[in-house]
Amino acid sequence: MTPADVLKLIKEKDAKFVDLRFTDTIGKEQHVTIPTRLVDEGFFKDGKMFDGSSIAGWKGINESDMILMPDPATAVVDPFYEETTLNLRCDVIEPMTMQGYGRDPRSLAKRAEAHLKASGIADSALFGPENEFFIFDNVTVSSGMNGCAYEVDSYEGAWNSGKAYEEGNRGHRPGVKGGYFPVPPVDSQQDIRTAMSMACEEMGLKFEVHHHEVATAGQGEINVAANTLTKKADEVQILKYALQNVAHGYGKTLTFMPKPIVGDNGNGMHVHQSLQKDGKALFAGDKYGGLSDIALYYIGGIIKHARAINAFTNASTNSYKRLVPGFEAPVKLAYSARNRSASIRIPWIANPKGRRIEVRFPDATGNPYFMFSSMLLAGLDGIQNKIHPGDPADKDLYDLEPEEDKKIPTVCHSLDMALDYLDKDRGFLKAGGVFTDDLIDAYIELKMKEVTRLRMTTHPIEIEMYYSL
């Protein structure tokens, strides 16, 4: 879509406003709204000025002027606003150079794609994340000097089997780890997931499947088709926006938080990925799992740099409540065909053109632009340096003898550990000028504030364990 196409769309839809969207460092989508009378051909060359100092981890107040540069190809009518509004995704531009801001996630993703092409290895990378979520009926949280507490609730929650409801307790709900694929009425969220899927389609995503996930209390998954790196990161933001707003409209609340409930499965974001060149699938070959040497080296790079990657793919303190050894979590840095206990899986594919790998440890609290770019750069490092991942792991990695278990490396067990590895292992990220020391340092500083806040907060479990000592 060109600027002229956008202007035509505004006229056809009688749109009154344009919503300019961009993503901050931690991965939260931000926006500012302008009237359509300000949007003309020149707008797509000049952009919209804004205050970059008000975005956490970005500019100081003495150099705060920045430009939101709209990408006309991303234009879509927002289905959630009362007044007809067109959404445009933006790059963040430095006014002095008119180049992408070094800390802008979308500009970074474009640098990653340019670096891939410049390497000569491939001309595109496809990413296909599987976003898991919980739909709750209620969430409360309090935090203060003298206490903290939270509670989530869902009619579907197994803990509500004995609760008396005014309209009666129907008794149909998935038990703990009993949510995978039962039909309604056990799956009470078929209609809301369908509405979410339709909203995704309305916003330009290609819906492929939705279903209830393993956990009790309204865990679900909605998948859309794979896309190239920057476009797919855009689509993750669109999907999260669409799902949370549909849930809100239904009087419910949706979270992608990895571990909002205890004792059942958490929310992951398994990321399928592959490389292509001149229309050829570079991961297809005659090696293990139908992979090529390039694919195996890509896996080797992911495994080598996994703990640094964790800082982006598992970017919250809550991420590591999900990544706990011994609880069927993808913590083992190994690869296998179809074996879901390995953190890197080679899905069975009938057509070799679709050959890909699936990295299973990420979750949706990460910034998708940073997440996909860091995995791509790790994979490229593996290819360029021929880092072989070793033998595949076809055993159940959740049930190994202790001595065998010790030989397999794991992902990080905390966010501060991941940030420490990122600090020490950053060279592969700076290839082609994709990530910079300035961005990495700012990211670590921002994320360490989250670590420190949690470290300083007394947890109710600590009262249980230590109060009487």
Side-chain angles (χ1 to χ4, degrees), residues 40-265:
D40 54 20
E41 291 272 359
F43 175 71
F44 291 91
K45 296 178 182 178
D46 300 331
K48 168 69 175 173
M49 299 296 295
F50 78 107
D51 178 8
S53 68
S54 296
I55 305 299
W58 282 15
K59 290 282 192 175
I61 197 166
N62 60 313
E63 50 177 3
S64 58
D65 286 346
M66 304 186 78
I67 301 171
L68 291 175
M69 190 62 70
D71 182 348
T74 65
V76 64
V77 175
D78 193 300
F80 301 106
Y81 290 166
E82 288 189 15
E83 293 291 345
T84 305
T85 302
L86 200 71
N87 290 350
L88 283 171
R89 207 149 297 276
C90 299
D91 298 323
V92 179
I93 303 298
E94 284 275 19
M96 298 299 292
T97 64
M98 294 306 291
Q99 299 297 311
Y101 174 43
R103 297 186 190 180
D104 170 37
R106 196 168 193 266
S107 297
L108 181 142
K110 289 184 173 181
R111 293 197 297 271
E113 291 185 297
H115 174 63
L116 172 64
K117 291 179 181 178
S119 73
I121 293 171
D123 50 38
S124 67
L126 287 178
F127 288 83
E130 300 176 0
N131 293 87
E132 295 174 339
F133 51 84
F134 279 95
I135 302 172
F136 295 129
D137 293 305
N138 193 62
V139 55
T140 58
V141 60
S142 62
S143 176
M145 291 179 64
N146 65 325
C148 63
Y150 82 95
E151 185 175 2
V152 296
D153 200 15
S154 164
Y155 178 83
E156 273 200 3
W159 56 83
N160 281 323
S161 60
K163 183 175 179 178
Y165 288 92
E166 186 176 339
E167 68 278 13
N169 192 327
R170 308 301 182 214
H172 296 292
R173 56 177 52 84
V176 174
K177 295 187 180 295
Y180 200 64
F181 282 22
V183 298
V186 175
D187 175 6
S188 69
Q189 297 180 343
Q190 172 72 16
D191 289 339
I192 189 173
R193 290 197 311 273
T194 296
M196 291 170 178
S197 303
M198 292 172 66
C200 287
E201 284 270 331
E202 195 173 347
M203 296 193 75
L205 310 188
K206 295 179 180 179
F207 161 71
E208 291 189 337
V209 64
H210 78 69
H211 59 85
H212 203 291
E213 258 296 344
V214 173
T216 188
Q219 188 183 35
E221 181 177 310
I222 293 176
N223 294 338
V224 299
N227 212 331
T228 51
L229 192 155
T230 303
K231 289 180 179 178
K232 178 45 64 177
D234 287 347
E235 290 182 356
V236 168
Q237 300 298 72
I238 293 169
L239 180 140
K240 293 174 80 170
Y241 174 75
L243 269 56
Q244 289 183 333
N245 277 280
V246 170
H248 191 75
Y250 270 72
K252 295 183 182 291
T253 175
L254 183 147
T255 182
F256 295 93
M257 188 175 174
K259 202 69 174 176
I261 64 173
V262 180
D264 210 336
N265 285 36

Side-chain angles (χ1 to χ4, degrees), residues 25-26 56-57 103 307-308 310-312 315 370 415-426 429 435-452 455:
T25 301
I26 64 171
R103 297 186 190 180
R307 290 185 171 183
N310 282 153
F312 300 116
F370 293 165
L415 180 56
D416 53 312
M417 179 182 180
L419 294 171
D420 188 47
Y421 271 92
L422 172 61
D423 191 24
K424 295 174 181 175
D425 180 22
R426 60 172 71 188
L429 294 167
F435 285 80
T436 63
D437 283 323
D438 174 70
L439 184 150
I440 293 170
D441 291 341
Y443 182 83
I444 291 172
E445 181 181 0
L446 194 63
K447 283 292 173 178
M448 275 305 299
K449 291 179 180 178
E450 298 175 15
V451 171
T452 300
R455 280 178 174 172

Side-chain angles (χ1 to χ4, degrees), residues 167-395:
E167 68 278 13
N169 192 327
R170 308 301 182 214
H172 296 292
R173 56 177 52 84
V176 174
K177 295 187 180 295
Y180 200 64
F181 282 22
V183 298
V186 175
D187 175 6
S188 69
Q189 297 180 343
Q190 172 72 16
D191 289 339
I192 189 173
R193 290 197 311 273
T194 296
M196 291 170 178
S197 303
M198 292 172 66
C200 287
E201 284 270 331
E202 195 173 347
M203 296 193 75
L205 310 188
K206 295 179 180 179
F207 161 71
E208 291 189 337
V209 64
H210 78 69
H211 59 85
H212 203 291
E213 258 296 344
V214 173
T216 188
Q219 188 183 35
E221 181 177 310
I222 293 176
N223 294 338
V224 299
N227 212 331
T228 51
L229 192 155
T230 303
K231 289 180 179 178
K232 178 45 64 177
D234 287 347
E235 290 182 356
V236 168
Q237 300 298 72
I238 293 169
L239 180 140
K240 293 174 80 170
Y241 174 75
L243 269 56
Q244 289 183 333
N245 277 280
V246 170
H248 191 75
Y250 270 72
K252 295 183 182 291
T253 175
L254 183 147
T255 182
F256 295 93
M257 188 175 174
K259 202 69 174 176
I261 64 173
V262 180
D264 210 336
N265 285 36
N267 291 326
M269 191 178 82
H270 306 158
V271 182
H272 297 253
Q273 47 202 286
S274 61
L275 299 179
Q276 295 74 39
K277 186 174 185 180
D278 299 326
K280 180 183 177 182
L282 297 184
F283 279 10
D286 58 2
K287 299 297 191 294
Y288 175 83
L291 296 180
S292 63
D293 282 324
I294 283 179
L296 289 171
Y297 295 146
Y298 189 100
I299 291 171
I302 294 283
I303 290 176
K304 177 181 178 181
H305 299 295
R307 290 185 171 183
I309 293 170
N310 282 153
F312 300 116
T313 59
N314 308 93
S316 68
T317 58
N318 187 253
S319 297
Y320 301 89
K321 303 290 195 297
R322 168 178 168 257
L323 297 177
V324 177
F327 291 91
E328 298 188 9
V331 299
K332 292 293 184 182
L333 291 171
Y335 71 102
S336 180
R338 296 189 290 173
N339 182 358
R340 294 174 187 268
S341 65
S343 63
I344 300 175
R345 187 174 75 96
I346 302 104
W348 184 86
I349 301 295
N351 188 342
K353 290 183 179 180
R355 189 73 64 209
R356 60 186 185 267
I357 68 167
E358 176 193 10
V359 181
R360 295 174 60 80
F361 52 78
D363 65 64
T365 56
N367 183 317
Y369 302 94
F370 293 165
M371 190 185 310
F372 300 156
S373 297
S374 64
M375 285 189 283
L376 175 64
L377 291 168
L380 288 179
D381 185 62
I383 294 168
Q384 291 167 332
N385 293 290
K386 296 185 176 180
I387 302 170
H388 198 280
D391 295 331
D394 289 329
K395 293 182 178 181

